[in-house]
Amino acid sequence: MEKGQGETPLITIAQHILQEQRRFPGATGEFSFLLSGITLAAKQIQAKVRRAGLTDILGDQDSANVHGEVQQKLDLYSNEVLLRALSFRESVGILASEENEHPAIMPHKSPVAKYAVVFDPLDGSSNIDVNVSVGTTFSILRRPEGADFDDPARWVLQPGRRQMAAGYVVYGSSTVMVYTVGNGVHGFTLDPAVGAFVLSHENIKMPDQGKYYSVNEAYRDNFPDEYITFLNELRSGELNHPYASRYIGSMVADFHRTLLRGGVFMYPPTRDFAQGKLRLLYEANPIAMLAEQAGGSATDGRQRILDIQPEDIHQRTPLIVGSRVEMQRFAELLVPASPDTGQGMAFPP
Ligand code: AHG
Ligand code: MN
Ligand code: MN
């Protein structure tokens, strides 16, 4: 009998969130209403992604985002969908997106708004036109004490350890939503026949060690020394067995594999980009929270990702995230930061 039928109880994401919410005394249901906005948007985005080749939605938009990157039509569509799905929820006060330079202040300016949501509406844009997996990432933060609508940055410039919840959706061979509220990591697969996300991966734990490393190796000559040493060790079998590589170029998809199969995903600093490419608030933070909840860890090469105090909504960070064994070895290779220069990493000559 197929999983999810017969004696196996069928649990939808909505039921699961309600169950999780019961753990919080005095919970009012606002939080589950908020998350239902994200699942609704995810269904709309996946429907568009699935029909991408049939409709006039592929390609560039003739515009660039705050990072100077060409925006794809699907980037903008996904952004609009998420903004629309979350703007009318009174519990949400501020929305910040990769595609918008400034955070959006919700017009209701409700005094009862408790949360800020930050997201990357479509991750892996370069893969859209070639039918390769893309994703959405999100991070939910509680409104800091005393923060008002005149200072939206205060709502979102919080270290990742304060995330209330985080997750992603991967639009792959199926559509899977993975989330955590700090009580383990759970995955739901969209049943397209009925339009519901059904629990398919309960309490995901990352294997202690994996078989793959995932990095854009074309930039290898520009990585700091310890990253090169680490990659050499993984390849040569010094860490119990020789590794193979997998790199999709969509962080969500690369991380989803790393979460389920173990191993390590990294986007290191390079000679030209000391902070790498990925963004702290809506890419690294949600991934780091999920990794830690699943028994793995995430660092920028200097400190735990979740301890970084953000200074800018769109700031970048190197990201190294993975299983216990790989992350421990990587930590041993890191050169401690010098108190004089603050430099912890050397680049090869
Ligand atoms: P986005 O599409 O949201 O701009 O993110 C793309 C990111 C990330 O998904 C991926 O890991 C990385 O870009 C790939 O970059 P490289 O092509 O430099 O490897
Ligand atoms: Mn992205
Ligand atoms: Mn994006």
Side-chain angles (χ1 to χ4, degrees), residues 65 67 69 75 98-99 120-127 215-216 219 247-252 254 265 267 277-279 282-283:
N65 66 13
H67 316 286
E69 299 156 343
D75 283 325
E98 179 187 38
E99 303 302 336
D120 176 357
L122 205 74
D123 175 68
S125 308
S126 71
N127 281 324
V215 65
N216 190 336
Y219 309 146
Y247 190 73
I248 295 166
S250 291
M251 178 195 68
V252 169
D254 279 314
F265 166 80
Y267 205 108
K277 178 183 184 189
L278 300 176
R279 294 69 159 197
Y282 39 81
E283 293 181 321

PDB file of all heavy atoms in Angstrom, residues 65 67 69 75 98-99 120-127 215-216 219 247-252 254 265 267 277-279 282-283, ligand 1:
ATOM      1  N   ASN A  65      17.962  43.506  -9.965  1.00  0.00           N
ATOM      2  CA  ASN A  65      17.601  43.679  -8.557  1.00  0.00           C
ATOM      3  C   ASN A  65      18.701  44.465  -7.843  1.00  0.00           C
ATOM      4  O   ASN A  65      19.648  44.955  -8.460  1.00  0.00           O
ATOM      5  CB  ASN A  65      17.305  42.331  -7.886  1.00  0.00           C
ATOM      6  CG  ASN A  65      18.525  41.427  -7.798  1.00  0.00           C
ATOM      7  OD1 ASN A  65      19.651  41.870  -8.007  1.00  0.00           O
ATOM      8  ND2 ASN A  65      18.293  40.175  -7.481  1.00  0.00           N
ATOM      9  N   HIS A  67      21.110  43.602  -6.208  1.00  0.00           N
ATOM     10  CA  HIS A  67      22.451  43.028  -6.333  1.00  0.00           C
ATOM     11  C   HIS A  67      23.002  43.209  -7.746  1.00  0.00           C
ATOM     12  O   HIS A  67      24.054  42.698  -8.074  1.00  0.00           O
ATOM     13  CB  HIS A  67      22.413  41.534  -5.998  1.00  0.00           C
ATOM     14  CG  HIS A  67      21.595  41.249  -4.775  1.00  0.00           C
ATOM     15  ND1 HIS A  67      22.036  41.548  -3.515  1.00  0.00           N
ATOM     16  CD2 HIS A  67      20.349  40.732  -4.628  1.00  0.00           C
ATOM     17  CE1 HIS A  67      21.091  41.223  -2.640  1.00  0.00           C
ATOM     18  NE2 HIS A  67      20.062  40.735  -3.285  1.00  0.00           N
ATOM     19  N   GLU A  69      21.717  41.913 -10.349  1.00  0.00           N
ATOM     20  CA  GLU A  69      21.496  40.705 -11.124  1.00  0.00           C
ATOM     21  C   GLU A  69      20.238  40.876 -11.976  1.00  0.00           C
ATOM     22  O   GLU A  69      19.260  41.467 -11.531  1.00  0.00           O
ATOM     23  CB  GLU A  69      21.299  39.495 -10.189  1.00  0.00           C
ATOM     24  CG  GLU A  69      22.500  39.233  -9.312  1.00  0.00           C
ATOM     25  CD  GLU A  69      22.146  38.470  -8.035  1.00  0.00           C
ATOM     26  OE1 GLU A  69      20.971  38.420  -7.667  1.00  0.00           O
ATOM     27  OE2 GLU A  69      23.074  37.955  -7.406  1.00  0.00           O
ATOM     28  N   ASP A  75      11.275  35.239 -11.111  1.00  0.00           N
ATOM     29  CA  ASP A  75      11.701  35.863  -9.853  1.00  0.00           C
ATOM     30  C   ASP A  75      10.638  36.856  -9.409  1.00  0.00           C
ATOM     31  O   ASP A  75      10.228  36.893  -8.252  1.00  0.00           O
ATOM     32  CB  ASP A  75      13.001  36.680 -10.046  1.00  0.00           C
ATOM     33  CG  ASP A  75      14.254  35.833 -10.126  1.00  0.00           C
ATOM     34  OD1 ASP A  75      14.330  34.808  -9.443  1.00  0.00           O
ATOM     35  OD2 ASP A  75      15.168  36.222 -10.876  1.00  0.00           O
ATOM     36  N   GLU A  98      14.599  39.275  -1.313  1.00  0.00           N
ATOM     37  CA  GLU A  98      15.784  39.463  -2.148  1.00  0.00           C
ATOM     38  C   GLU A  98      15.502  40.445  -3.286  1.00  0.00           C
ATOM     39  O   GLU A  98      16.387  41.190  -3.699  1.00  0.00           O
ATOM     40  CB  GLU A  98      16.208  38.119  -2.757  1.00  0.00           C
ATOM     41  CG  GLU A  98      17.409  38.241  -3.661  1.00  0.00           C
ATOM     42  CD  GLU A  98      17.757  36.967  -4.401  1.00  0.00           C
ATOM     43  OE1 GLU A  98      16.838  36.242  -4.820  1.00  0.00           O
ATOM     44  OE2 GLU A  98      18.940  36.685  -4.551  1.00  0.00           O
ATOM     45  N   GLU A  99      14.295  40.454  -3.774  1.00  0.00           N
ATOM     46  CA  GLU A  99      13.966  41.252  -4.963  1.00  0.00           C
ATOM     47  C   GLU A  99      13.586  42.691  -4.668  1.00  0.00           C
ATOM     48  O   GLU A  99      13.301  43.445  -5.592  1.00  0.00           O
ATOM     49  CB  GLU A  99      12.851  40.570  -5.763  1.00  0.00           C
ATOM     50  CG  GLU A  99      13.181  39.136  -6.203  1.00  0.00           C
ATOM     51  CD  GLU A  99      14.453  39.045  -7.053  1.00  0.00           C
ATOM     52  OE1 GLU A  99      14.834  40.044  -7.691  1.00  0.00           O
ATOM     53  OE2 GLU A  99      15.071  37.956  -7.055  1.00  0.00           O
ATOM     54  N   ASP A 120      13.690  34.595  -0.041  1.00  0.00           N
ATOM     55  CA  ASP A 120      14.215  34.591  -1.407  1.00  0.00           C
ATOM     56  C   ASP A 120      13.120  33.897  -2.218  1.00  0.00           C
ATOM     57  O   ASP A 120      12.931  32.692  -2.103  1.00  0.00           O
ATOM     58  CB  ASP A 120      15.530  33.779  -1.460  1.00  0.00           C
ATOM     59  CG  ASP A 120      16.068  33.658  -2.878  1.00  0.00           C
ATOM     60  OD1 ASP A 120      15.413  34.131  -3.824  1.00  0.00           O
ATOM     61  OD2 ASP A 120      17.154  33.056  -3.030  1.00  0.00           O
ATOM     62  N   PRO A 121      12.362  34.681  -2.987  1.00  0.00           N
ATOM     63  CA  PRO A 121      11.173  34.091  -3.626  1.00  0.00           C
ATOM     64  C   PRO A 121      11.508  32.977  -4.606  1.00  0.00           C
ATOM     65  O   PRO A 121      10.789  31.993  -4.701  1.00  0.00           O
ATOM     66  CB  PRO A 121      10.513  35.264  -4.340  1.00  0.00           C
ATOM     67  CG  PRO A 121      11.524  36.357  -4.390  1.00  0.00           C
ATOM     68  CD  PRO A 121      12.518  36.110  -3.278  1.00  0.00           C
ATOM     69  N   LEU A 122      12.601  33.170  -5.343  1.00  0.00           N
ATOM     70  CA  LEU A 122      12.996  32.110  -6.274  1.00  0.00           C
ATOM     71  C   LEU A 122      14.510  31.984  -6.254  1.00  0.00           C
ATOM     72  O   LEU A 122      15.218  32.912  -6.640  1.00  0.00           O
ATOM     73  CB  LEU A 122      12.499  32.400  -7.682  1.00  0.00           C
ATOM     74  CG  LEU A 122      12.345  31.107  -8.482  1.00  0.00           C
ATOM     75  CD1 LEU A 122      11.126  30.329  -8.019  1.00  0.00           C
ATOM     76  CD2 LEU A 122      12.239  31.387  -9.950  1.00  0.00           C
ATOM     77  N   ASP A 123      14.965  30.859  -5.773  1.00  0.00           N
ATOM     78  CA  ASP A 123      16.397  30.619  -5.644  1.00  0.00           C
ATOM     79  C   ASP A 123      16.852  29.691  -6.765  1.00  0.00           C
ATOM     80  O   ASP A 123      16.198  28.682  -7.038  1.00  0.00           O
ATOM     81  CB  ASP A 123      16.677  29.971  -4.281  1.00  0.00           C
ATOM     82  CG  ASP A 123      18.134  29.586  -4.141  1.00  0.00           C
ATOM     83  OD1 ASP A 123      18.972  30.484  -4.068  1.00  0.00           O
ATOM     84  OD2 ASP A 123      18.429  28.370  -4.128  1.00  0.00           O
ATOM     85  N   GLY A 124      17.958  30.083  -7.394  1.00  0.00           N
ATOM     86  CA  GLY A 124      18.483  29.263  -8.490  1.00  0.00           C
ATOM     87  C   GLY A 124      18.023  29.775  -9.837  1.00  0.00           C
ATOM     88  O   GLY A 124      17.814  28.995 -10.771  1.00  0.00           O
ATOM     89  N   SER A 125      17.895  31.107  -9.943  1.00  0.00           N
ATOM     90  CA  SER A 125      17.325  31.707 -11.164  1.00  0.00           C
ATOM     91  C   SER A 125      17.997  31.234 -12.455  1.00  0.00           C
ATOM     92  O   SER A 125      17.336  31.107 -13.479  1.00  0.00           O
ATOM     93  CB  SER A 125      17.455  33.222 -11.125  1.00  0.00           C
ATOM     94  OG  SER A 125      16.946  33.724  -9.940  1.00  0.00           O
ATOM     95  N   SER A 126      19.311  30.983 -12.375  1.00  0.00           N
ATOM     96  CA  SER A 126      20.008  30.623 -13.612  1.00  0.00           C
ATOM     97  C   SER A 126      19.542  29.271 -14.129  1.00  0.00           C
ATOM     98  O   SER A 126      19.830  28.894 -15.264  1.00  0.00           O
ATOM     99  CB  SER A 126      21.522  30.603 -13.384  1.00  0.00           C
ATOM    100  OG  SER A 126      21.871  29.495 -12.579  1.00  0.00           O
ATOM    101  N   ASN A 127      18.818  28.534 -13.306  1.00  0.00           N
ATOM    102  CA  ASN A 127      18.354  27.202 -13.710  1.00  0.00           C
ATOM    103  C   ASN A 127      16.924  27.191 -14.257  1.00  0.00           C
ATOM    104  O   ASN A 127      16.444  26.154 -14.722  1.00  0.00           O
ATOM    105  CB  ASN A 127      18.428  26.244 -12.512  1.00  0.00           C
ATOM    106  CG  ASN A 127      19.846  25.754 -12.274  1.00  0.00           C
ATOM    107  OD1 ASN A 127      20.600  25.530 -13.216  1.00  0.00           O
ATOM    108  ND2 ASN A 127      20.218  25.596 -11.015  1.00  0.00           N
ATOM    109  N   VAL A 215      30.093  22.189  -4.280  1.00  0.00           N
ATOM    110  CA  VAL A 215      30.706  23.521  -4.347  1.00  0.00           C
ATOM    111  C   VAL A 215      30.945  23.844  -5.817  1.00  0.00           C
ATOM    112  O   VAL A 215      31.094  22.924  -6.632  1.00  0.00           O
ATOM    113  CB  VAL A 215      32.046  23.522  -3.560  1.00  0.00           C
ATOM    114  CG1 VAL A 215      33.096  22.604  -4.207  1.00  0.00           C
ATOM    115  CG2 VAL A 215      32.626  24.924  -3.395  1.00  0.00           C
ATOM    116  N   ASN A 216      30.968  25.131  -6.153  1.00  0.00           N
ATOM    117  CA  ASN A 216      31.311  25.501  -7.522  1.00  0.00           C
ATOM    118  C   ASN A 216      32.832  25.458  -7.660  1.00  0.00           C
ATOM    119  O   ASN A 216      33.535  26.414  -7.349  1.00  0.00           O
ATOM    120  CB  ASN A 216      30.782  26.892  -7.856  1.00  0.00           C
ATOM    121  CG  ASN A 216      30.914  27.175  -9.337  1.00  0.00           C
ATOM    122  OD1 ASN A 216      31.758  26.581 -10.017  1.00  0.00           O
ATOM    123  ND2 ASN A 216      30.081  28.054  -9.842  1.00  0.00           N
ATOM    124  N   TYR A 219      35.695  27.885  -9.204  1.00  0.00           N
ATOM    125  CA  TYR A 219      36.326  29.007  -8.504  1.00  0.00           C
ATOM    126  C   TYR A 219      37.434  28.560  -7.561  1.00  0.00           C
ATOM    127  O   TYR A 219      37.965  29.342  -6.788  1.00  0.00           O
ATOM    128  CB  TYR A 219      35.289  29.787  -7.687  1.00  0.00           C
ATOM    129  CG  TYR A 219      34.042  30.219  -8.435  1.00  0.00           C
ATOM    130  CD1 TYR A 219      32.811  30.260  -7.786  1.00  0.00           C
ATOM    131  CD2 TYR A 219      34.089  30.602  -9.774  1.00  0.00           C
ATOM    132  CE1 TYR A 219      31.658  30.658  -8.456  1.00  0.00           C
ATOM    133  CE2 TYR A 219      32.944  30.998 -10.447  1.00  0.00           C
ATOM    134  CZ  TYR A 219      31.734  31.024  -9.786  1.00  0.00           C
ATOM    135  OH  TYR A 219      30.599  31.422 -10.434  1.00  0.00           O
ATOM    136  N   TYR A 247      26.832  19.363  -7.808  1.00  0.00           N
ATOM    137  CA  TYR A 247      26.558  20.795  -7.692  1.00  0.00           C
ATOM    138  C   TYR A 247      25.525  21.201  -8.727  1.00  0.00           C
ATOM    139  O   TYR A 247      25.766  21.136  -9.928  1.00  0.00           O
ATOM    140  CB  TYR A 247      27.844  21.614  -7.887  1.00  0.00           C
ATOM    141  CG  TYR A 247      27.673  23.084  -7.547  1.00  0.00           C
ATOM    142  CD1 TYR A 247      27.550  23.494  -6.223  1.00  0.00           C
ATOM    143  CD2 TYR A 247      27.612  24.050  -8.550  1.00  0.00           C
ATOM    144  CE1 TYR A 247      27.379  24.841  -5.907  1.00  0.00           C
ATOM    145  CE2 TYR A 247      27.448  25.399  -8.236  1.00  0.00           C
ATOM    146  CZ  TYR A 247      27.324  25.782  -6.915  1.00  0.00           C
ATOM    147  OH  TYR A 247      27.156  27.108  -6.594  1.00  0.00           O
ATOM    148  N   ILE A 248      24.367  21.604  -8.216  1.00  0.00           N
ATOM    149  CA  ILE A 248      23.260  21.969  -9.105  1.00  0.00           C
ATOM    150  C   ILE A 248      23.315  23.448  -9.443  1.00  0.00           C
ATOM    151  O   ILE A 248      22.996  23.861 -10.556  1.00  0.00           O
ATOM    152  CB  ILE A 248      21.917  21.613  -8.420  1.00  0.00           C
ATOM    153  CG1 ILE A 248      21.814  20.089  -8.243  1.00  0.00           C
ATOM    154  CG2 ILE A 248      20.744  22.126  -9.236  1.00  0.00           C
ATOM    155  CD1 ILE A 248      20.710  19.634  -7.307  1.00  0.00           C
ATOM    156  N   GLY A 249      23.714  24.277  -8.460  1.00  0.00           N
ATOM    157  CA  GLY A 249      23.719  25.726  -8.673  1.00  0.00           C
ATOM    158  C   GLY A 249      22.416  26.361  -8.219  1.00  0.00           C
ATOM    159  O   GLY A 249      22.173  27.534  -8.475  1.00  0.00           O
ATOM    160  N   SER A 250      21.562  25.573  -7.576  1.00  0.00           N
ATOM    161  CA  SER A 250      20.402  26.102  -6.839  1.00  0.00           C
ATOM    162  C   SER A 250      20.666  25.698  -5.393  1.00  0.00           C
ATOM    163  O   SER A 250      20.619  24.503  -5.076  1.00  0.00           O
ATOM    164  CB  SER A 250      19.094  25.450  -7.276  1.00  0.00           C
ATOM    165  OG  SER A 250      18.740  25.827  -8.576  1.00  0.00           O
ATOM    166  N   MET A 251      20.924  26.679  -4.527  1.00  0.00           N
ATOM    167  CA  MET A 251      21.277  26.339  -3.158  1.00  0.00           C
ATOM    168  C   MET A 251      20.238  25.443  -2.496  1.00  0.00           C
ATOM    169  O   MET A 251      20.575  24.488  -1.790  1.00  0.00           O
ATOM    170  CB  MET A 251      21.440  27.634  -2.340  1.00  0.00           C
ATOM    171  CG  MET A 251      21.764  27.392  -0.881  1.00  0.00           C
ATOM    172  SD  MET A 251      21.507  28.864   0.113  1.00  0.00           S
ATOM    173  CE  MET A 251      19.720  29.033   0.052  1.00  0.00           C
ATOM    174  N   VAL A 252      18.966  25.746  -2.721  1.00  0.00           N
ATOM    175  CA  VAL A 252      17.910  24.960  -2.076  1.00  0.00           C
ATOM    176  C   VAL A 252      18.017  23.491  -2.476  1.00  0.00           C
ATOM    177  O   VAL A 252      17.939  22.596  -1.628  1.00  0.00           O
ATOM    178  CB  VAL A 252      16.512  25.519  -2.432  1.00  0.00           C
ATOM    179  CG1 VAL A 252      15.424  24.571  -1.987  1.00  0.00           C
ATOM    180  CG2 VAL A 252      16.302  26.875  -1.801  1.00  0.00           C
ATOM    181  N   ASP A 254      20.651  21.928  -3.756  1.00  0.00           N
ATOM    182  CA  ASP A 254      21.908  21.358  -3.265  1.00  0.00           C
ATOM    183  C   ASP A 254      21.826  21.078  -1.765  1.00  0.00           C
ATOM    184  O   ASP A 254      22.337  20.069  -1.278  1.00  0.00           O
ATOM    185  CB  ASP A 254      23.086  22.303  -3.563  1.00  0.00           C
ATOM    186  CG  ASP A 254      23.586  22.162  -4.991  1.00  0.00           C
ATOM    187  OD1 ASP A 254      23.758  21.015  -5.452  1.00  0.00           O
ATOM    188  OD2 ASP A 254      23.805  23.188  -5.656  1.00  0.00           O
ATOM    189  N   PHE A 265      27.767  21.253   1.786  1.00  0.00           N
ATOM    190  CA  PHE A 265      27.532  22.231   0.721  1.00  0.00           C
ATOM    191  C   PHE A 265      28.282  23.499   1.103  1.00  0.00           C
ATOM    192  O   PHE A 265      28.241  23.917   2.257  1.00  0.00           O
ATOM    193  CB  PHE A 265      26.040  22.547   0.585  1.00  0.00           C
ATOM    194  CG  PHE A 265      25.776  23.778  -0.258  1.00  0.00           C
ATOM    195  CD1 PHE A 265      25.800  23.698  -1.640  1.00  0.00           C
ATOM    196  CD2 PHE A 265      25.546  25.011   0.332  1.00  0.00           C
ATOM    197  CE1 PHE A 265      25.597  24.834  -2.426  1.00  0.00           C
ATOM    198  CE2 PHE A 265      25.348  26.159  -0.440  1.00  0.00           C
ATOM    199  CZ  PHE A 265      25.365  26.062  -1.819  1.00  0.00           C
ATOM    200  N   TYR A 267      29.526  27.614  -0.207  1.00  0.00           N
ATOM    201  CA  TYR A 267      29.790  28.723  -1.107  1.00  0.00           C
ATOM    202  C   TYR A 267      30.843  29.573  -0.399  1.00  0.00           C
ATOM    203  O   TYR A 267      30.538  30.443   0.406  1.00  0.00           O
ATOM    204  CB  TYR A 267      28.539  29.539  -1.445  1.00  0.00           C
ATOM    205  CG  TYR A 267      28.752  30.226  -2.778  1.00  0.00           C
ATOM    206  CD1 TYR A 267      28.086  29.811  -3.917  1.00  0.00           C
ATOM    207  CD2 TYR A 267      29.693  31.239  -2.896  1.00  0.00           C
ATOM    208  CE1 TYR A 267      28.348  30.400  -5.148  1.00  0.00           C
ATOM    209  CE2 TYR A 267      29.955  31.823  -4.109  1.00  0.00           C
ATOM    210  CZ  TYR A 267      29.279  31.402  -5.235  1.00  0.00           C
ATOM    211  OH  TYR A 267      29.550  31.978  -6.449  1.00  0.00           O
ATOM    212  N   LYS A 277      28.725  34.735  -2.130  1.00  0.00           N
ATOM    213  CA  LYS A 277      27.613  35.232  -2.944  1.00  0.00           C
ATOM    214  C   LYS A 277      26.280  35.185  -2.207  1.00  0.00           C
ATOM    215  O   LYS A 277      25.401  36.009  -2.451  1.00  0.00           O
ATOM    216  CB  LYS A 277      27.517  34.359  -4.196  1.00  0.00           C
ATOM    217  CG  LYS A 277      26.371  34.720  -5.116  1.00  0.00           C
ATOM    218  CD  LYS A 277      26.303  33.773  -6.297  1.00  0.00           C
ATOM    219  CE  LYS A 277      25.208  34.199  -7.258  1.00  0.00           C
ATOM    220  NZ  LYS A 277      24.982  33.172  -8.296  1.00  0.00           N
ATOM    221  N   LEU A 278      26.141  34.216  -1.332  1.00  0.00           N
ATOM    222  CA  LEU A 278      24.825  33.980  -0.736  1.00  0.00           C
ATOM    223  C   LEU A 278      24.496  35.054   0.296  1.00  0.00           C
ATOM    224  O   LEU A 278      25.386  35.650   0.895  1.00  0.00           O
ATOM    225  CB  LEU A 278      24.777  32.593  -0.103  1.00  0.00           C
ATOM    226  CG  LEU A 278      25.026  31.456  -1.105  1.00  0.00           C
ATOM    227  CD1 LEU A 278      25.061  30.113  -0.404  1.00  0.00           C
ATOM    228  CD2 LEU A 278      23.956  31.462  -2.202  1.00  0.00           C
ATOM    229  N   ARG A 279      23.210  35.272   0.507  1.00  0.00           N
ATOM    230  CA  ARG A 279      22.761  36.326   1.418  1.00  0.00           C
ATOM    231  C   ARG A 279      22.429  35.736   2.772  1.00  0.00           C
ATOM    232  O   ARG A 279      21.820  34.671   2.869  1.00  0.00           O
ATOM    233  CB  ARG A 279      21.533  37.050   0.864  1.00  0.00           C
ATOM    234  CG  ARG A 279      21.777  37.849  -0.386  1.00  0.00           C
ATOM    235  CD  ARG A 279      22.047  36.966  -1.539  1.00  0.00           C
ATOM    236  NE  ARG A 279      21.809  37.607  -2.836  1.00  0.00           N
ATOM    237  CZ  ARG A 279      21.681  36.925  -3.946  1.00  0.00           C
ATOM    238  NH1 ARG A 279      21.786  35.608  -3.939  1.00  0.00           N
ATOM    239  NH2 ARG A 279      21.457  37.553  -5.071  1.00  0.00           N
ATOM    240  N   TYR A 282      18.102  35.735   4.146  1.00  0.00           N
ATOM    241  CA  TYR A 282      17.050  34.889   3.560  1.00  0.00           C
ATOM    242  C   TYR A 282      17.593  33.646   2.853  1.00  0.00           C
ATOM    243  O   TYR A 282      16.814  32.869   2.321  1.00  0.00           O
ATOM    244  CB  TYR A 282      16.132  35.710   2.634  1.00  0.00           C
ATOM    245  CG  TYR A 282      16.852  36.743   1.796  1.00  0.00           C
ATOM    246  CD1 TYR A 282      17.490  36.389   0.629  1.00  0.00           C
ATOM    247  CD2 TYR A 282      16.902  38.082   2.197  1.00  0.00           C
ATOM    248  CE1 TYR A 282      18.148  37.332  -0.138  1.00  0.00           C
ATOM    249  CE2 TYR A 282      17.570  39.038   1.445  1.00  0.00           C
ATOM    250  CZ  TYR A 282      18.184  38.653   0.277  1.00  0.00           C
ATOM    251  OH  TYR A 282      18.852  39.584  -0.478  1.00  0.00           O
ATOM    252  N   GLU A 283      18.914  33.473   2.826  1.00  0.00           N
ATOM    253  CA  GLU A 283      19.457  32.221   2.276  1.00  0.00           C
ATOM    254  C   GLU A 283      20.185  31.440   3.383  1.00  0.00           C
ATOM    255  O   GLU A 283      19.781  30.351   3.763  1.00  0.00           O
ATOM    256  CB  GLU A 283      20.366  32.502   1.077  1.00  0.00           C
ATOM    257  CG  GLU A 283      19.580  33.052  -0.101  1.00  0.00           C
ATOM    258  CD  GLU A 283      20.397  33.344  -1.350  1.00  0.00           C
ATOM    259  OE1 GLU A 283      21.528  33.840  -1.262  1.00  0.00           O
ATOM    260  OE2 GLU A 283      19.866  33.104  -2.448  1.00  0.00           O
TER     261      GLU A 283
HETATM  262  P1  AHG B   1      19.407  33.419  -6.752  1.00  0.00           P
HETATM  263  O1  AHG B   1      18.889  32.718  -7.948  1.00  0.00           O
HETATM  264  O2  AHG B   1      18.366  33.583  -5.682  1.00  0.00           O
HETATM  265  O3  AHG B   1      20.127  34.703  -7.082  1.00  0.00           O
HETATM  266  O4  AHG B   1      20.481  32.477  -6.028  1.00  0.00           O
HETATM  267  C1  AHG B   1      21.424  31.792  -6.809  1.00  0.00           C
HETATM  268  C2  AHG B   1      22.498  31.315  -5.901  1.00  0.00           C
HETATM  269  C3  AHG B   1      22.272  29.976  -5.240  1.00  0.00           C
HETATM  270  O5  AHG B   1      21.064  29.386  -5.451  1.00  0.00           O
HETATM  271  C4  AHG B   1      23.362  29.099  -5.798  1.00  0.00           C
HETATM  272  O6  AHG B   1      23.875  28.294  -4.786  1.00  0.00           O
HETATM  273  C5  AHG B   1      24.369  30.058  -6.326  1.00  0.00           C
HETATM  274  O7  AHG B   1      23.659  31.202  -6.678  1.00  0.00           O
HETATM  275  C6  AHG B   1      25.111  29.565  -7.515  1.00  0.00           C
HETATM  276  O8  AHG B   1      26.100  30.496  -7.837  1.00  0.00           O
HETATM  277  P2  AHG B   1      27.326  30.146  -8.815  1.00  0.00           P
HETATM  278  O9  AHG B   1      26.757  30.132 -10.189  1.00  0.00           O
HETATM  279  O10 AHG B   1      28.310  31.257  -8.573  1.00  0.00           O
HETATM  280  O11 AHG B   1      27.885  28.796  -8.394  1.00  0.00           O
END
